[in-house]
Amino acid sequence: MQLTGLHVYPVKSMYRLSPDTAVVQPWGLAGDRRWMLADSTGRFVSQREDAALGQVRPALLPDGSLVLTTPDGSRIEVPAPAVASGDPLAEVEVWGTRFHAAEAAKEAHQWIAEHLGDYRLVHLDDPRARPVDPDFSEPGDTVSMADGFPLLLTTTASLDRLNELIAADHPEDHRPLPMERFRPNVVIAGAEPWAEDGWRRVRIGGLTFKVAKPCGRCVITTTDQETGERTGKEPLRTLAQHHRLLRKASFGQHLIPERPARAEGDVLGTLRLGDDVEVLEDGAHWSVDER
């Protein structure tokens, strides 16, 4: 098996970056979902509520600044706010967990309001501020502003199988779905369909990861990531019928990095396209509702 895809999402629910290499930190790939939009209550905003977010293209500059570009070419560069610089903190929330993030400058909020809505742009200054769900992690495991876990793994074989099932069950709606619909961090080729459901620990290149739990899917998977268009009931309809784990339509597995003995500071290592992938431990530890 090999690593064939790497994806980083600098701003939660916005467009992806797809580098050839990515540094791994305890809370995820470097630069992954350290920024997000929050509404007036502090709750995160995603493509679930506003599909237009996925059309904004982000870039990260060497000094940590964020660049955002809309489809019409409007562009803004936002320095990364930080507590040490005296920037204000905002209490924000992702799926019931409240924590603090640094607010971007007012100019950024004005730009966001003009192009997206009445949202605040915040930056996770302290990536240790948000713990992973304790039911699926160890004490001290933390996560960025991703939905729940540091990384998401998918496999090309499972996507091929899913597309086969959609074509067989609903040929009238069949348009092969690309992997981008599922917004993974790492994509693996060479496995059997749904093999990842049974993995407990994996090695990718020189790094090892705990497989925490399956990823229950939502309406974002029905959204074309290139156009922002909601395209219908797939893949949720077919996943609900053929691939339910922990009582949810599921695709992919969440990962938590393990710290190598040689790791220094927050850098655990680097993933590279073409890295070999090995299953170190298998045996599913969650309920399988339906296959």
Side-chain angles (χ1 to χ4, degrees), residues 7 9 153-160 163 177-184 186-188 217 225 251:
H7 303 291
Y9 309 88
L153 173 150
T154 60
T155 71
T156 56
S158 293
L159 178 62
D160 291 343
N163 277 319
L177 299 178
M179 190 65 82
E180 289 75 20
R181 287 288 186 98
F182 300 94
R183 297 177 66 84
V186 294
V187 181
I188 307 302
R217 307 315 307 214
Q225 295 298 298
F251 189 90

Side-chain angles (χ1 to χ4, degrees), residues 247-270:
R247 299 184 298 279
K248 293 184 178 180
S250 299
F251 189 90
Q253 296 287 334
H254 292 294
L255 303 182
I256 300 174
E258 296 181 337
R259 176 175 286 275
R262 66 183 184 281
E264 297 183 4
D266 295 333
V267 175
L268 305 185
T270 301

Side-chain angles (χ1 to χ4, degrees), residues 129-149:
R130 183 176 170 227
V132 179
D133 184 340
D135 289 340
F136 299 95
S137 64
E138 300 295 330
D141 287 336
T142 63
V143 60
S144 66
M145 293 190 282
D147 273 358
F149 294 87

Side-chain angles (χ1 to χ4, degrees), residues 199-204 207-209 211 255 278-280:
W199 298 348
R200 299 190 71 163
R201 291 180 68 240
V202 296
R203 178 186 60 79
I204 306 176
L207 293 171
T208 59
F209 300 84
V211 182
L255 303 182
E278 178 185 5
V279 178
L280 301 177

